[in-house]
Amino acid sequence: MYNSKISGLGYYVPENVVTNDDLSKLMDTNDEWIQERTGIKERRHVLKEGGDTTTSMGVNAAKIAIERAGIDKDAIDFIVFATLSPDYYFPGPGVLVQRELGIKTVGALDVRNQCSGFIYAISVADQYIKTGMYKNVLVIGSEVHSRGLDMTTRGRGVSVIFGDGAGAAVLTREEDTTKGILSTHLHAEGQHAEELSLIAPGMGKRWVTDIINDNDPNDESYFPYMNGQFVFKNAVVRFSEVIIEGLKSNSLEATAIDMLIPHQANLRISQFVQKKFGLKDEQVYNNIMKYGNTTAASIPIALTEAWEAGKVKEGNLVVLAAFGSGFTWGSVIIRW
């Protein structure tokens, strides 16, 4: 048996910065209202003309991660791509990244677990490496939300939260099983699927011909829906549970955590979890203030920034945790 370790990290965000004041020109909102509820000050949106895509941002992040891993792209054995916003309905972006990077016929898997997508993707990659099937797995989380948001007052409860960006990690075989990814923990509770969802387009709703011919301006099913208070209440519970589960499975206490990197859903959720585990500010990394919620990309972007800033060091116990649509949630326990 082997462990897997993160040998390379990278991230990419669009240059276009959208502030809360910018949004106030499109909808009835303001900087104070947004910051009070979410902690967000600004986010990145792709440009409408000739801008980045989910795939192109993933490629940019992947190139950095591969270079930092110190391997050639042809050493990648498998690709796992997490996103809720693929370029095409199908095929998924995994094969598009493979094409753009010029990697030959290795397998490419797409993961559709929204805010928990990167955690799920890491878990898949980790299992492939631990069983000896692969040695180097490229894991990407990338999202373009801005093209699908209701940028009016009607949609402000959701639209002010989300941003665009990508993060990537290279997982590599580690023979020392006291290092690297110690364990991953995944959960889902489908009974709440519609509480945070995008219902259309979907084959379960209507025939494609009906969708094409539908000009109903009041149809909100094409925009994300979130039952904010319900999601918040479930998130703080599940975050705590899955972090405790991960620690217990490795006979660790919360005091052992050197760095917690939670999915950047809402700064208030992160602060609640931080307080519950008695962690200091320097033990939790948040960047939602400048990027918003980038869903599957949020954890790899934050992890890369924390590592670049020297906040994640060799020997540190690093905990990743996420909760989101589905509901799905999970954690990763890493000895760096």
Side-chain angles (χ1 to χ4, degrees):
M1 292 291 292
Y2 306 97
N3 267 8
S4 66
K5 67 177 181 181
I6 295 177
S7 58
L9 289 165
Y11 80 94
Y12 174 88
V13 292
E15 293 182 0
N16 182 35
V17 177
V18 178
T19 67
N20 293 341
D21 288 335
D22 291 332
L23 293 182
S24 70
K25 299 172 185 176
L26 303 174
M27 61 188 74
D28 183 13
T29 190
N30 58 68
D31 178 65
E32 182 181 3
W33 188 89
I34 296 172
Q35 286 203 52
E36 180 183 344
R37 287 161 177 77
T38 68
I40 300 169
K41 298 180 180 179
E42 60 186 40
R43 73 286 294 145
R44 305 295 179 97
H45 284 178
V46 301
L47 295 172
K48 289 186 177 180
E49 300 297 331
D52 300 294
T53 68
T54 298
T55 296
S56 70
M57 292 194 299
V59 168
N60 288 334
K63 287 179 178 179
I64 298 169
I66 292 170
E67 180 180 358
R68 287 173 169 173
I71 62 173
D72 186 86
K73 62 180 177 59
D74 291 326
I76 298 295
D77 303 312
F78 198 69
I79 299 168
V80 188
F81 199 120
T83 188
L84 64 74
S85 53
D87 297 8
Y88 308 145
Y89 193 86
F90 67 84
V95 296
L96 303 182
V97 164
Q98 179 195 45
R99 178 177 68 185
E100 294 304 312
L101 289 176
I103 299 174
K104 296 182 180 179
T105 59
V106 302
L109 173 70
D110 299 294
V111 171
R112 291 291 302 276
N113 283 83
Q114 296 69 249
C115 295
S116 302
F118 190 75
I119 297 293
Y120 269 72
I122 284 286
S123 182
V124 170
D126 178 54
Q127 300 308 313
Y128 274 129
I129 291 175
K130 281 181 174 174
T131 59
M133 186 169 182
Y134 298 126
K135 184 177 180 180
N136 299 300
V137 179
L138 173 62
V139 181
I140 300 170
S142 181
E143 304 286 6
V144 172
H145 289 299
S146 58
R147 289 194 174 112
L149 298 173
D150 182 358
M151 303 301 285
T152 69
T153 299
R154 180 181 66 178
R156 66 178 178 176
V158 172
S159 298
V160 302
I161 297 172
F162 293 97
D164 305 335
V170 174
L171 269 65
T172 302
R173 183 181 298 170
E174 170 59 64
E175 295 187 2
D176 183 351
T177 56
T178 67
K179 298 179 180 179
I181 296 177
L182 304 182
S183 63
T184 63
H185 309 270
L186 307 177
H187 296 277
E189 190 175 22
Q191 69 180 20
H192 301 310
E194 288 75 26
E195 301 297 341
L196 178 50
S197 60
L198 176 58
I199 302 302
M203 296 306 101
K205 187 174 187 289
R206 283 174 288 181
W207 294 97
V208 171
T209 51
D210 293 335
I211 295 173
I212 293 173
N213 295 323
D214 188 357
N215 295 310
D216 181 7
N218 297 314
D219 186 355
E220 298 181 37
S221 63
Y222 288 85
F223 297 117
Y225 165 78
M226 179 173 64
N227 183 345
Q229 289 187 346
F230 188 77
V231 172
F232 187 99
K233 290 177 182 177
N234 278 267
V236 294
V237 172
R238 297 308 192 186
F239 261 109
S240 300
E241 287 179 349
V242 81
I243 292 171
I244 292 171
E245 178 186 0
L247 293 172
K248 283 187 175 180
S249 71
N250 293 282
S251 301
L252 297 167
E253 300 291 336
T255 52
I257 298 175
D258 293 299
M259 177 58 66
L260 169 64
I261 299 182
H263 162 56
Q264 303 295 293
N266 185 307
L267 185 60
R268 310 308 165 214
I269 294 175
S270 297
Q271 290 171 336
F272 183 96
V273 174
Q274 175 181 341
K275 183 177 180 180
K276 179 177 178 61
F277 286 95
L279 301 175
K280 300 177 182 178
D281 288 346
E282 57 267 27
Q283 292 175 283
V284 183
Y285 192 83
N286 290 301
N287 63 4
I288 191 172
M289 302 78 72
K290 57 181 180 178
Y291 298 130
N293 180 346
T294 55
T295 310
S298 81
I299 287 180
I301 291 174
L303 179 58
T304 303
E305 283 196 332
W307 175 79
E308 288 177 345
K311 296 179 182 294
V312 174
K313 304 180 180 68
E314 184 175 355
N316 282 175
L317 185 75
V318 179
V319 177
L320 315 179
F323 173 90
S325 174
F327 289 144
T328 60
W329 63 96
S331 65
V332 180
I333 311 298
I334 306 169
R335 179 65 70 182
W336 205 260

